[in-house]
Amino acid sequence: MKEENISVTNILTDYLNRRKYRKTPERYAILDKIYSIDGHFDAEGLYESMQNEYRVSLATIYNTLDLLSNAGLVIKHQFDGFSAQYEKSIGTHIHNHSVCIICGAIKEFTDKKIKKAIQAKEFANFQSTHYSLYIYGKCKKCRNK
Amino acid sequence: MKEENISVTNILTDYLNRRKYRKTPERYAILDKIYSIDGHFDAEGLYESMQNEYRVSLATIYNTLDLLSNAGLVIKHQFDGFSAQYEKSIGTHIHNHSVCIICGAIKEFTDKKIKKAIQAKEFANFQSTHYSLYIYGKCKKCRNK
DNA sequence: TTTGTTGCAAAACGTTTGCAGCCTC
DNA sequence: GAGGCTGCAAACGTTTTGCAACAAA
């Protein structure tokens, strides 16, 4: 287990304690697996990748992804036309996504000015926790379509 | 028909001509309906709202929303957990969305600095056309959940 | 012991597809 | 007249749900 995983494990434990939810081995196994994945993944892929290690049902994968999302440990993306994509959130640099409207290719990028501008935003009646920025357009390959 | 609709009709006609697509009454009826709606709508709602005027099938609604999206006449949003939401794009101020992670409440907001920072972004191999920014968090009602 | 959580299978949901017939070009 | 577009219904893939069994508290 990476060092990072120790702290996310603690975050999950705190979260479960605070809500009086149960600390099941499935939840920790899924969290652990998620933090070993770099980049995006979907529920099905996570499910399959765990079959040889700690076997959990797809229903539990969905339940747990939802729980971890509420706990701030994963971020959920709904890119157009695909199944929901997830990624770990702790220890991940804040980044944005460019999405090709023709072929669906997704790339990550960072931009300090954008980050600053968004983080400076404050709401009167809304307590923001995170954000997703998707810039749509055409990638190099699809430029002329 | 509002004045605005005349110009979006022209945009659609140009688009169809350029691609050698057919100018069917369904496409214009759907476009017209969409530009009479303020705010978000989904395919089902659009379908139902047209039943008393120009009747089209749900399949055609989906086809046409896709076409109008490619033509830049509507913007598609995939807010978490719901069916895809659409909104007209021409004559609509660029705006962002705050999404409550507890109850799903969606609000629009604008911010000049964010807009500027995003529009200033240029990519080497990507031609951007539009963007969506979703800020997630907890709304006033759900602050303590 | 209580009851939240799991696995399984079935169901639900939004969306897409196949196909015959229609209507734009 | 050719073939793109439509409506219909069936199919699809992802996600949710109901329920009995299990296990954390």
Side-chain angles (χ1 to χ4, degrees), chain B:
Chain B
M1 196 191 281
K2 291 179 198 169
E3 274 180 61
E4 193 172 84
N5 295 23
I6 296 168
S7 64
V8 297
T9 299
N10 289 341
I11 293 171
L12 177 57
T13 300
D14 286 351
Y15 179 82
L16 296 174
N17 282 336
R18 226 176 318 127
R19 306 266 171 142
K20 300 217 168 79
Y21 292 157
R22 295 198 174 160
K23 295 180 273 297
T24 67
E26 288 81 5
R27 288 173 173 170
Y28 288 100
I30 292 170
L31 180 69
D32 205 43
K33 186 73 198 177
I34 287 172
Y35 272 80
S36 76
I37 299 172
D38 284 318
H40 302 139
F41 59 90
D42 63 9
E44 184 71 31
L46 180 60
Y47 170 72
E48 278 166 17
S49 74
M50 289 187 72
Q51 292 311 298
N52 297 326
E53 300 170 28
Y54 193 102
R55 206 193 162 284
V56 293
S57 70
L58 196 48
T60 298
I61 295 271
Y62 277 107
N63 279 337
T64 305
L65 282 171
D66 195 43
L67 183 143
L68 295 177
S69 176
N70 287 332
L73 286 161
V74 305
I75 291 176
K76 182 176 184 177
H77 296 286
Q78 298 267 126
F79 298 118
D80 192 80
F82 301 100
S83 55
Q85 300 285 308
Y86 299 83
E87 62 183 327
K88 61 187 175 190
S89 59
I90 310 282
T92 305
H93 288 285
I94 292 176
H95 58 266
N96 310 296
H97 298 92
S98 66
V99 183
C100 177
I101 55 175
I102 306 296
C103 71
I106 293 163
K107 283 197 176 177
E108 299 180 357
F109 70 92
T110 56
D111 186 290
K112 275 190 186 171
K113 280 184 190 166
I114 293 175
K115 185 177 166 181
K116 247 187 162 175
I118 295 173
Q119 291 183 335
K121 178 71 186 170
E122 290 198 358
F123 299 88
N125 289 310
F126 188 84
Q127 193 177 7
S128 65
T129 56
H130 62 287
Y131 68 86
S132 291
L133 170 64
Y134 309 123
I135 297 190
Y136 296 96
K138 294 183 185 177
C139 74
K140 200 181 178 182
K141 281 186 197 167
C142 300
R143 209 183 324 177
N144 302 312
K145 287 182 193 169

Side-chain angles (χ1 to χ4, degrees), chain A residues 21-22 24 26-27 55-57 59-60 63-64:
Chain A
Y21 292 158
R22 294 192 178 166
T24 66
E26 288 81 4
R27 288 174 173 168
R55 207 193 161 285
V56 294
S57 71
T60 298
N63 278 339
T64 304

Side-chain angles (χ1 to χ4, degrees), chain A:
Chain A
M1 195 191 281
K2 292 179 197 167
E3 275 180 59
E4 193 172 85
N5 293 24
I6 298 167
S7 66
V8 297
T9 299
N10 289 342
I11 293 171
L12 177 57
T13 300
D14 284 352
Y15 180 81
L16 296 175
N17 281 336
R18 222 175 322 126
R19 306 267 171 140
K20 301 217 170 78
Y21 292 158
R22 294 192 178 166
K23 294 180 274 299
T24 66
E26 288 81 4
R27 288 174 173 168
Y28 287 99
I30 292 170
L31 180 69
D32 205 45
K33 186 73 198 177
I34 287 173
Y35 272 79
S36 76
I37 300 172
D38 283 317
H40 302 139
F41 60 89
D42 62 10
E44 183 72 32
L46 179 61
Y47 170 71
E48 279 166 17
S49 74
M50 289 188 70
Q51 292 312 299
N52 298 326
E53 301 169 28
Y54 192 102
R55 207 193 161 285
V56 294
S57 71
L58 196 48
T60 298
I61 294 272
Y62 276 107
N63 278 339
T64 304
L65 282 171
D66 196 42
L67 182 142
L68 295 177
S69 176
N70 287 333
L73 286 162
V74 305
I75 291 176
K76 182 176 183 177
H77 296 286
Q78 298 266 124
F79 297 118
D80 193 80
F82 302 100
S83 55
Q85 301 286 308
Y86 300 83
E87 61 184 327
K88 61 186 174 192
S89 59
I90 310 283
T92 304
H93 287 286
I94 292 175
H95 57 267
N96 310 296
H97 297 92
S98 65
V99 183
C100 177
I101 55 176
I102 307 296
C103 71
I106 294 164
K107 284 197 177 177
E108 299 181 357
F109 70 91
T110 56
D111 186 290
K112 275 189 185 170
K113 279 185 189 167
I114 292 175
K115 185 176 168 182
K116 246 188 162 176
I118 294 173
Q119 291 183 336
K121 178 72 185 170
E122 291 197 358
F123 299 88
N125 288 310
F126 188 85
Q127 193 178 7
S128 65
T129 56
H130 62 285
Y131 67 86
S132 292
L133 171 64
Y134 309 123
I135 297 190
Y136 297 95
K138 294 183 185 177
C139 73
K140 201 180 178 182
K141 281 186 197 168
C142 300
R143 209 184 321 178
N144 302 313
K145 288 181 192 168

